Each structure stands twice: as C-alpha cells, then as structure tokens.
Amino acid sequence: MSPNVYIIGAGMAGLSAAVRLAKSGSNVTVFEAAPHGGGRCRSFYDKSLDTIIDNGAHLMMSGNSDIMALLKLTGGTDEVYALERTRFDFLDVSNDQRWSVDLGAGRGKMALLAWIFDARRRPPNVSPWTLILDVLALKRSKGKTVADCLDIKAPHFRSFWEPLCVGVLNANANEAAAELLWAVFEETVLRGGYFARPLLTRRGLGAALVDPALKTLKDLGVDVQFGKRLQGLDFKDGRVACLNFTNGAEVLGAGDRVILAIPHFALQGVLDNFAVPKGAHAILNVHFRLDEDVEAGFMGLIGSPVQWVFTRGNIASVTMSVADDWVKKSATDIATALWPDVVKVLRLKNDQIPPYRVIKERRATFVQSPKALTLRADPQTKYENLFLAGDWTNTGLPATIESAVRSGRKAAEAVLG
Ligand SMILES: Cc1cc2nc3c(=O)[nH]c(=O)nc-3n(C[C@H](O)[C@H](O)[C@H](O)COP(=O)(O)OP(=O)(O)OC[C@H]3O[C@@H](n4cnc5c(N)ncnc54)[C@H](O)[C@@H]3O)c2cc1C
C-alpha cells in the first residue's frame, strides 16, 4: 500500500487538494466536520424560498485560472458561464444615477488602453491619466493600505474603487491591503476585459464546484467522511503521529501525510502556538424571492449599505461586506432595511417585501490588512508530514475561491514534491 494523505476540511481548498492528489494516484481520505462539503462556498435547499440558494452570492472571474483548471478536472465546466464582456453596472441609490464600467472583451494591453481612453466605458469623473496613476500606485503598494495608495476623497473613489475594494477584500480602504487588489487586477483586468468577465453559475455553487468535486472523488475511490471534527494532533519526532477527532482517532503510518485545509480561526484550535492572521469580517446576504424570473446578472450599489445585488431566476441576493455591525441585527430588521434598494435596482412595481432568507457569515474572511499578510502560511510547515491549505494561506490573492483552490493545488504539489 502506498502512504495515505489525510485531508482535513472539504471546503474548496480541501476539495482542490483532494482532487489533484487522487488524480495523481495517491490514497486520499477527507475528513470534514460539517455534514456537507463546500464550507463557506455552498448551496442548500431553503424551505421558505422553496429553492436552492448559495450561502452567499459569489463572484468569480474568467481569469481565475485555478478555478477553471479545477472545473476541467471535475467536469464542472458546463455549470458555469462567463458573461460576454466585462461590464460592471452601478446605481447610486441616493440620486438614482446609473452608469457602467465597460472593459469589453478584448485581450492584452491595447484592449486595456482602449478602455482607459474611452470616457463612455471607464468610471465617471476620472481622467485616463488619473486611472493609470491609481493602478501604478496599487502596483507599488507592498505594506500599504488602499487608502495609503488612492485618493479616497476623489469622486471616482466612491464610484469605482470603493465598491471594488470592499467587495473584493471584505475590508474598508483604510484597512485593506492594497497589494491584494493589485494581485486581482494583474490576473484579470490588466490582461484585458476577456479575463475579467464575471463567471456565473447556472444552478449555484454546489452544482458547479462542490458536487462535481465530490463525485470525482467518489469515482476515484476516495473516502470522504462527514461529521469528523479534528480536535488536535499528536506529534512524534517532528511528524504528525495521530489525528484526534471528537469521535475517534486516526493513527498515522510511516509516510502518511496530512493537509489541514481549515479556516485560520479553526487552525488555532488544533495547532497550538501557530501564528495566523487575526480576526475576521462578516458578510451578510439576503435572498429575496421575486414574483417572476429576472435576467441573471449583478449590479454595484453606491450610497447603500449593500455593495452588490445579484439575480438568478426569481432570486435577488444582496451582499453586504464588512457587515460586522449589521449581523447583530434581527433578520426582519435587515431584510426590511435592504429591500427598498432591491426595488430600486430592479425597478420593481410591487414594493411589498417578498419571502426572504438572511444568511449571516460572521467569519467570512480574515481581516486582510497589510500586517495580516505577513502571517499567511506557506503550504509546508516545520513538521515533515504536515501541510496547510485554505484561502488565508500565502497565495498572494485575497481570501476568495480562487485563493482556496490555488492553495489546495499548492499543498498537493508540496505533498507530491
Ligand atoms: C458570504 C460570503 C461571500 C463570499 N463571496 C465571495 C466571492 O464573491 N468571490 C470569491 O471568490 N470568494 C468569496 N467568498 C470567499 C470564499 O467563499 C472563501 O474564500 C472560500 O470558500 C474558502 O474556502 P476554504 O476551503 O479555504 O475554507 P472553508 O470554505 O471555510 O472550508 C474549510 C472546511 O473545513 C471544515 N472544518 C473547519 N474546522 C474543522 C475541523 N476542526 N475538523 C474538520 N473540518 C473542519 C469546515 O467545516 C469547512 O468545510 C465569500 C465568502 C462568504 C462567506
């Protein structure tokens, strides 16, 4: 028998590592605390809305190369589609003004310049030169916050940079690490609109990302055990010797390896004295069931506590990042306060609040500050057979699905390497 690889956590990081390793012929076992896979990126049937919803509306982009590669490995490609062009529509709810930032669908630097020098397609109230200087400031932003790099009083900050910063980094500009925004720009927008096209799911995150990965693992004979919460590890001679679960233990053989693909706050519970980024910010989602289906898409909101409204079928989902104060409110108060903005976005005639479901993710992402980046861990630890994965590890990207999937690939490569 070849050695086993034990993967703890069946979120996107753990699933990504498991698929890669199982495809390469490794003996893989996955242990997951919850009764389902997907972690912070999951779908479930909601009785009150009588439909399958995602825990939160997630935006992926066509330039997310690790997500695309995983979809190819699992056969999930048909469950996602990229919009034809990169166009972000915005609404300022305070004055009902609407505009679009339209990067088009071209590839390369010429397509990018064509966008920047076209006043109808770039953000309002900003010259091409200012926009170029902004991007250059982000490029040289190591150790700085977004507010250190950009003029947060400029009108185009409010109408363009702020929703991007809060939406992508789940942090306000005075806290968010600017280099993470640069990293996203470098892999998507700066390669041309073709690579920044929003990637939407046809039936939800579960059908696109989680179910195909679990099916792939099943077909490859991987044992995925749910309801197995890791409590701690025993070490011997610089190696993990035993995995202790709340309901049993797994003694490791010589050559066996472990990948911990759990969130940063959970890692602290199982690995004493391991430095991880501190704290987390919440993300709040409210899913409203509309009277009829509307076109699939999304819109950015300015002047609202909500940053984005996503639509799919008859569900309109509002997403609020850095929602730490809002998650303390009651579901009724939240839905009542946010519904009027959905009415404005969709220009609905019926403004009666429909059935809704509020989902509070209190620890949606780690606090992505410059200081926290210094605490992101590499896949290989000081223990010979212990590896780490997760959106919070050192991928160079914000805590996103792309980061989680990439971290899983890197951990798998470290195990194999
Ligand atoms: C509301 C919301 C909106 C988001 N929006 C976006 C977006 O628009 N775009 C984007 O790209 N990303 C978005 N994200 C971030 C994205 O969901 C995460 O970055 C990604 O899912 C993290 O994957 P992961 O595998 O690293 O961690 P997780 O998904 O947290 O998976 C870790 C798994 O480990 C399990 N686990 C934890 N402790 C233990 C233990 N002790 N023993 C066994 N198992 C354990 C958990 O149950 C979980 O299943 C959003 C997140 C949220 C919450």
Side-chain angles (χ1 to χ4, degrees):
M1 283 288 284
S2 59
N4 297 303
V5 186
Y6 296 107
I7 298 176
I8 318 297
M12 289 319 302
L15 291 175
S16 160
V19 167
R20 296 248 166 207
L21 286 164
K23 289 244 173 196
S24 74
S26 304
N27 288 325
V28 178
T29 306
V30 181
F31 296 111
E32 163 60 49
H36 52 75
R40 280 169 281 159
C41 162
R42 65 187 187 282
S43 308
F44 59 92
Y45 174 76
D46 183 80
K47 211 173 162 194
S48 55
L49 301 180
D50 188 25
T51 189
I52 290 173
I53 53 172
D54 295 336
N55 64 317
H58 280 61
L59 185 64
M60 302 176 280
M61 289 160 117
S62 51
N64 288 159
S65 54
D66 271 278
I67 294 177
M68 299 303 269
L70 181 68
L71 289 170
K72 267 196 191 146
L73 286 176
T74 62
T77 312
D78 289 347
E79 287 288 342
V80 300
Y81 63 100
L83 296 184
E84 266 175 36
R85 55 194 298 123
T86 300
R87 204 188 74 191
F88 296 97
D89 296 328
F90 288 96
L91 164 69
D92 187 335
V93 293
S94 63
N95 58 15
D96 219 20
Q97 205 187 335
R98 286 171 194 253
W99 68 91
S100 299
V101 176
D102 183 357
L103 283 107
R107 301 172 196 225
K109 291 206 167 45
M110 293 315 288
L112 188 67
L113 289 174
W115 166 61
I116 288 181
F117 282 92
D118 187 338
R120 290 162 306 172
R121 292 172 52 204
R122 68 172 178 262
N125 309 315
V126 60
S127 74
W129 309 109
T130 306
L131 208 52
I132 290 170
L133 288 175
D134 283 353
V135 173
L136 289 176
L138 289 179
K139 185 178 182 183
R140 295 185 295 260
S141 63
K142 204 165 176 53
K144 294 182 183 169
T145 66
V146 171
D148 292 333
C149 300
L150 306 178
D151 177 3
I152 60 169
K153 297 215 166 73
H156 74 287
F157 182 82
R158 179 173 179 265
S159 62
F160 182 61
W161 288 118
E162 190 171 30
L164 282 192
C165 168
V166 175
V168 173
L169 302 179
N170 191 24
N172 290 318
N174 55 8
E175 180 182 52
E179 67 189 87
L180 293 180
L181 205 51
W182 165 254
V184 172
F185 258 57
E186 200 179 21
E187 294 198 6
T188 56
V189 171
L190 297 187
R191 295 167 68 202
Y194 182 81
F195 297 97
R197 290 173 302 144
L199 207 56
L200 303 180
T201 61
R202 295 188 194 284
R203 295 184 300 150
L205 297 167
L209 291 162
V210 184
D211 301 346
L214 288 173
K215 179 170 185 313
T216 303
L217 294 177
K218 192 174 175 204
D219 293 347
L220 291 167
V222 172
D223 183 17
V224 182
Q225 298 187 24
F226 295 104
K228 294 284 279 191
R229 179 172 294 280
L230 186 72
Q231 258 184 332
L233 306 164
D234 291 342
F235 294 94
K236 198 176 170 203
D237 302 330
R239 294 173 55 82
V240 180
C242 183
L243 302 170
N244 297 312
F245 297 95
T246 44
N247 48 0
E250 188 76 41
V251 177
L252 270 63
D256 287 352
R257 284 127 203 250
V258 179
I259 298 177
L260 294 184
I262 58 181
H264 71 295
F265 53 83
L267 192 83
Q268 280 178 315
V270 297
L271 256 191
D272 291 342
N273 302 323
F274 194 90
V276 295
K278 302 260 176 307
H281 281 313
I283 300 182
L284 181 69
N285 269 262
V286 190
H287 303 281
F288 294 100
R289 194 183 69 201
L290 307 173
D291 293 341
E292 53 192 36
D293 286 6
V294 290
E295 199 188 335
F298 63 97
M299 179 171 277
L301 265 62
I302 311 295
S304 161
V306 163
Q307 286 81 42
W308 303 96
V309 175
F310 288 79
T311 47
R312 193 178 71 228
N314 66 345
I315 298 293
S317 308
V318 301
T319 298
M320 187 196 296
S321 297
V322 206
D324 307 352
D325 291 335
W326 276 76
V327 294
K328 295 174 193 154
K329 297 174 193 263
S330 74
T332 313
D333 287 352
I334 293 168
T336 312
L338 302 184
W339 171 245
D341 284 352
V342 180
V343 172
K344 277 189 193 164
V345 167
L346 299 175
R347 296 187 167 115
L348 298 176
K349 291 192 187 85
N350 180 2
D351 63 1
Q352 290 299 304
I353 189 159
Y356 59 82
R357 172 73 190 259
V358 175
I359 301 177
K360 302 171 178 179
E361 290 273 5
R362 287 189 164 79
R363 294 188 286 191
T365 62
F366 73 98
V367 175
Q368 302 180 68
S369 65
K371 186 161 175 237
L373 300 196
T374 63
L375 294 169
R376 295 183 98 177
D378 288 328
Q380 175 77 64
T381 67
K382 66 177 181 176
Y383 303 103
E384 191 195 324
N385 64 342
L386 180 63
F387 302 83
L388 299 175
D391 62 350
W392 64 275
T393 59
N394 197 7
T395 59
L397 295 174
T400 51
I401 301 176
E402 177 72 355
S403 175
V405 174
R406 186 167 302 179
S407 76
R409 169 173 63 78
K410 284 178 151 206
E413 285 167 1
V415 165
L416 292 171

